[in-house]
């Protein structure tokens, strides 16, 4: 449905939201790659990544990036905001990695990257709700401060803002490994789980836009006229999915939560017959009964998200 060309749009770090397009004069803070939080997001984007280049003996803009669309978008963003991309990668070699998988929904790497407490830095990026669960502190300027409910509320608002624009949202976190526990030559092993598995420091959120392909809206219209029901199945967040669904006319009518919001009624009071569009979260699927499935498929506009 979308072009598979991801471009970074917004960055939220140190409780500030920035538009990644420097040309955009917006109400957000001016984008400055040297802000500590933005710098960390650039570092996580570059280092916590499996994307490779077809060749490295030519300038960056002449290389093909071999990797998924999200990582490719993050690497382009990082390159635009550092003086020497290859130098950055070579300065902080990767010593350990757990690749992204659909169970955990995050990727983790550890690098030789010095700080006040030691020689190694852990980076993690992935689905925001999963990464946030693993964090006990949040980055504010250059300090890790305890993560509070107030911060989580702020996070929820920003996540909703980004996802409701139809953008894919990723979260970033880090942990500065102390050298008394993790010396520079420490041998990390995946099967032993001898790496820190939580108490990370939340660095921020980043959103990427993947515009709809040309002709998709028309194709969906043609299917509809032919009596074909088109459903969307996606790994994206429900808000992202619904927003893209609306951009391409896959979803036109109101969902149950939307009707509740528009009429100011409690969601429980909205009757089945009042809405014709539904967004199902992947985590609900296992618990759906036969009756629930009948309800889902009685709707004309259906999206399965996450």
């Amino acid at each position: 449905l979308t072009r598979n060309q991801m471009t970074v749009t917004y960055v939220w770090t140190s409780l500030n939201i920035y538009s990644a397009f420097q040309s955009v004069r917006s109400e957000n803070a001016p984008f400055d790659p040297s802000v500590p939080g933005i710098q960390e997001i650039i570092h996580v984007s570059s280092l916590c990544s499996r994307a490779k280049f077809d060749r490295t003996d030519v300038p960056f803009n002449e290389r093909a990036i071999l990797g998924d669309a999200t990582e490719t978008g993050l690497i382009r963003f990082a390159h635009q905001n550092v003086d020497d991309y290859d130098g950055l990668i070579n300065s902080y070699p990767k010593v350990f990695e757990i690749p992204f998988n659909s169970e955990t929904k995050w990727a983790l790497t550890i690098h030789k990257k010095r700080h006040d407490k030691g020689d190694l830095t852990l980076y993690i990026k992935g689905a925001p709700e999963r990464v946030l669960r693993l964090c006990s502190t949040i980055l504010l300027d250059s300090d890790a401060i305890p993560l509070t409910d107030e911060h989580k509320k702020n996070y929820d608002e920003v996540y909703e803002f980004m996802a409701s624009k139809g953008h894919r949202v990723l979260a970033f976190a880090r942990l500065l490994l102390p050298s008394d526990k993790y010396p520079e030559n420490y041998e990390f092993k995946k099967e032993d789980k001898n790496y820190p598995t939580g108490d990370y420091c939340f660095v921020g959120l980043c959103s990427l836009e993947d515009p709809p392909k040309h002709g998709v809206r028309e194709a969906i219209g043609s299917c509809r006229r032919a009596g074909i029901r088109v459903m969307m199945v996606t790994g994206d967040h429900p808000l992202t999915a619904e927003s893209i669904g609306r951009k391409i006319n896959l979803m036109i009518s109101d969902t149950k939560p939307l009707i509740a919001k528009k009429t100011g009624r409690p969601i429980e009071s909205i009757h089945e017959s009042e809405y014709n569009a539904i967004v199902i979260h992947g985590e609900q699927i296992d618990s759906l009964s036969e009756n629930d499935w009948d309800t889902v498929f009685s709707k004309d506009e259906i999206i399965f998200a996450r």
Side-chain angles (χ1 to χ4, degrees):
L1 297 175
T2 54
R3 289 180 214 171
N4 216 22
Q5 294 166 348
M6 292 269 177
T7 307
V8 172
T9 45
Y10 292 97
V11 173
W12 179 69
T13 182
S14 292
L15 306 178
N16 282 316
I17 189 162
Y18 301 88
S19 170
F21 303 113
Q22 279 110 320
S23 55
V24 178
R25 282 281 151 262
S26 62
E27 66 284 8
N28 311 317
F31 187 84
D32 176 2
S34 64
V35 169
I38 295 181
Q39 206 166 26
E40 276 299 75
I41 284 181
I42 290 168
H43 283 190
V44 185
S45 300
S46 313
L47 300 167
C48 183
S49 176
R50 303 206 84 187
K52 304 262 186 288
F53 298 107
D54 61 339
R55 48 193 297 192
T56 50
D57 56 344
V58 293
F60 186 94
N61 295 334
E62 292 171 29
R63 303 175 191 176
I65 304 175
L66 316 171
D68 71 24
T70 308
E71 293 208 319
T72 302
L74 289 173
I75 282 181
R76 288 217 163 89
F77 163 72
H79 169 256
Q80 284 159 3
N81 291 293
V82 292
D83 295 331
D84 177 7
Y85 179 83
D86 293 332
L88 173 69
I89 302 296
N90 297 332
S91 305
Y92 306 121
K94 194 186 287 182
V95 295
F96 179 69
E97 172 172 45
I98 297 176
F100 180 90
N101 73 63
S102 52
E103 279 297 294
T104 59
K105 291 192 165 58
W106 48 254
L108 177 151
T109 54
I110 296 175
H111 300 266
K112 285 192 177 177
K113 186 171 189 264
R114 272 218 172 103
H115 47 85
D116 296 345
K117 296 183 192 135
D119 302 297
L120 301 172
T121 301
L122 176 151
Y123 282 141
I124 180 168
K125 77 171 196 294
E129 59 272 30
R130 297 295 184 94
V131 173
L132 188 72
R133 271 179 221 165
L134 301 172
C135 295
S136 57
T137 59
I138 185 168
L139 189 70
L140 193 61
D141 301 320
S142 301
D143 304 316
I145 60 169
L147 187 62
T148 64
D149 288 342
E150 191 55 38
H151 295 139
K152 287 180 182 168
K153 191 168 153 277
N154 201 324
Y155 154 95
D156 284 334
E157 286 164 6
V158 173
Y159 194 170
E160 191 165 319
F161 164 77
M162 290 172 164
S164 61
K165 285 187 166 323
H167 299 178
R168 177 170 293 173
V169 188
L170 286 180
F172 300 81
R174 73 165 190 200
L175 190 62
L176 306 176
L177 304 186
S179 54
D180 53 350
K181 264 177 97 173
Y182 301 101
E184 192 177 359
N185 54 1
Y186 186 88
E187 211 174 307
F188 295 98
K189 285 207 175 79
K190 213 192 234 168
E191 43 286 351
D192 299 349
K193 278 209 165 169
N194 64 349
Y195 52 89
T197 53
D199 279 334
Y200 304 145
C201 171
F202 193 84
V203 173
L205 294 171
C206 171
S207 63
L208 299 101
E209 183 175 26
D210 184 10
K213 276 182 194 151
H214 295 300
V216 163
R217 187 186 293 177
E218 293 74 8
I220 288 170
S222 304
C223 289
R224 256 208 194 104
R225 287 192 295 279
I228 299 167
R229 197 164 27 153
V230 183
M231 304 178 196
M232 182 197 291
V233 180
T234 173
D236 275 332
H237 185 278
L239 284 170
T240 304
E242 185 179 336
S243 171
I244 290 171
R246 292 192 183 284
K247 284 180 187 174
I248 57 177
N249 284 357
L250 183 134
M251 192 163 270
I252 301 164
S253 61
D254 290 347
T255 57
K256 191 174 180 176
L258 253 169
I259 292 173
K261 199 172 168 184
K262 282 183 176 175
T263 58
R265 289 157 56 199
I267 196 158
E268 308 76 53
S269 72
I270 309 295
H271 196 264
E272 283 309 326
S273 60
E274 290 183 68
Y275 65 98
N276 203 18
I278 191 165
V279 181
I280 303 287
H281 191 296
E283 286 178 4
Q284 297 169 262
I285 287 178
D286 288 342
S287 60
L288 293 178
S289 65
E290 286 295 319
N291 271 356
D292 294 334
W293 280 111
D294 289 342
T295 303
V296 170
F297 289 123
S298 70
K299 306 300 174 197
D300 283 338
E301 301 164 10
I302 306 172
I303 291 174
F304 293 97
R306 276 282 185 257

